[in-house]
Amino acid sequence: MAKTAIIIGAGPAGLTAAYELLKRTDIIPIVLEKSGEVGGISKTLEYKGNRLDIGPHRLFSKSDRVMSWWMDMMPLQQKGPVDLKYQNKSRSFDAAGKNAHPEGAGTNGQSGDDKVMLVVTRESRIYFMRTFFSYPLQLSIRTLRILGVVKTIRILTSYASSKLFPRKPEKTLEDFIINRFGKELYLLFFKDYTEKVWGVPCDIISAEWGAARIKGVSLQKVLKEALKSFLKKKKKGDIAQKEKEVSLLEQFLYPRFGPGSLWEEVAGRVREMGGTILFNQDVKGISWDKDNILAIQTVDSQTGETATFEGVYYFSSMPVIELIAGMGSRVPNNVKEVAAGLLFRDFVTVGVLLKQLSVKDKKTGRYDRLEIKDTWLYIQEPDVKVGRIMIYNNWGDGMIKDRFNSTWIGMEYFCYTTEDFWKMDDEGIKRQAIEELEKLGLARKEDVLDVSVQRMEKTYPAYFGTYDRFPEIREFIDRFDNLYLIGRNGMHKYNNSDHSMLCAMFAVDNILDGIRSKDNIWAISCDMEYPDEKKYKVNSYPASIYAYSSQ
């Protein structure tokens, strides 16, 4: 009789686990998905032929294992060797494959083989004080001119003070940032934006968030880069400066029709190989004994039908708060208390179809067409709620229906389901988004062609609430030999999709190798080296004082 694995969640982690089991073992997976589609927060939303990403979910990993896995699912569009530039480094990949075809094949992505990865150049900037700052933030002459002499002096003196008198112990995100950049830069470029994203003061967010999301960064590195750039410019002129700017560009892989199309491809392969994916399965109960999970009980949210699923192994990418609640009254009280206190940040994206982006000329008052190459903008302005704006025209030819005659953007809002913004009806959110877009000076109301509102719960696991007691949950969960927590919400770790995939891969590795410990799975995170690939350092981001993750 075939062995079975029950997998909760059809996001990147769950589908990776299913595929790896089918590819490498004789274990047959049954995937239970709460919603009616695959991809989790990596799914792609469609509105009248235009597509939205809940992210952005750009694909690049320091893990060759993950990169090869992605390109096995979807080959690169162009043939021949490709050099991808990322985090001031370059890595080469052979794009040749039986499914690859020359760049530009097809018209607007509608013919030829569309199951391909595009190579997209990341260009993103910070929008603050109604002007654009480079990303990563450069202490260039232009930046210093905008900030002014007085503010620049205060930045340098506060930085010196943070080095001489660092905050100890370093418990909060506020401590973490001030120790690395000084209080002045913290107040200017970190505090307001971080609190916009998370909805709580920085002094109650764990310093671990900083370690996970602001990697290998310090003002000292920024100053060194600025000095090197200045000296090189003096020696070689403007060409050297341009070369320096180009070297900071990053590239990433992106499925032509968004990340959701990748996971739809994976789901299709899982089914072809004999796996099962069931939708609308709401987990209501989890049976267990001392050392093992015994069964999963679900209710079909569409039909009301109940079902019980038994397996040899169990993988869970559902939010930990729901997993523990489903395990019933026998869970120790302290574990239930920690799980109930875990928090998530929710997400609203507003797709706005425009005739064009436009900017008002300060002298004439006339609106001129705004041509920008940014893939997204960080909105630092404190007088609007929008936190980030995606410009999908710059993501290849698959995310927008008519990229030549319209502009398709995604205005991203971070909130809680308990907030008035989330509770507002779609028409109210549409009005606010359009008003904020015009207030920012990036578009006119009369250029708006259409608007769509999309909501996603539990997008970002938070490092506050009862998170500091999370080891109590891990200690309880790790007692079950046949249960593996995987994925961002499954582990309550602010990981990217490649880290979530590696957790699933390592879980299958452990099953094959007969390893009971889950330590290698828990060790995977954004702020450390991959346990199986030491030579690729995860903490090698360029010197940036604004290195928020984009996933």
Side-chain angles (χ1 to χ4, degrees), residues 2-21:
K3 291 183 286 187
T4 302
I6 310 303
I7 301 173
I8 304 173
L15 289 176
T16 299
Y19 183 81
E20 290 289 300
L21 288 170

Side-chain angles (χ1 to χ4, degrees), residues 133-260:
F133 288 83
S134 59
Y135 175 97
L137 185 67
Q138 306 293 302
L139 293 183
S140 63
I141 299 299
R142 177 182 178 273
T143 300
L144 297 178
R145 187 183 296 119
I146 294 172
L147 295 178
V149 175
V150 174
K151 192 160 288 185
T152 299
I153 293 173
R154 290 171 63 182
I155 287 172
L156 296 176
T157 54
S158 71
Y159 172 69
S161 177
S162 72
K163 296 293 103 178
L164 292 171
F165 309 104
R167 293 189 173 196
K168 292 183 179 181
E170 192 175 88
K171 291 184 177 181
T172 70
L173 182 60
E174 181 176 273
D175 297 335
F176 181 94
I177 297 175
I178 290 177
N179 281 350
R180 283 153 184 80
F181 308 111
K183 188 172 182 179
E184 190 67 27
L185 267 179
Y186 162 71
L187 294 173
L188 187 64
F189 276 101
F190 283 99
K191 185 178 186 296
D192 288 341
Y193 186 83
T194 303
E195 293 179 359
K196 179 188 289 190
V197 172
W198 290 102
V200 296
C202 291
D203 60 4
I204 70 168
I205 300 177
S206 167
E208 186 175 345
W209 186 94
R213 309 312 294 184
I214 308 174
K215 316 173 191 65
V217 178
S218 72
L219 183 58
Q220 185 178 3
K221 290 183 180 180
V222 176
L223 292 171
K224 284 181 178 179
E225 290 292 334
L227 180 60
K228 284 167 60 179
S229 178
F230 177 72
L231 293 175
K232 186 179 289 187
K233 185 175 182 180
K234 285 190 70 174
K235 289 180 180 180
K236 298 184 180 180
D238 291 342
I239 293 178
Q241 178 65 13
K242 290 178 181 178
E243 289 174 349
K244 178 64 183 175
E245 291 170 355
V246 170
S247 73
L248 290 172
L249 296 179
E250 296 182 0
Q251 295 172 305
F252 55 88
L253 305 179
Y254 198 73
R256 168 172 276 157
F257 292 130

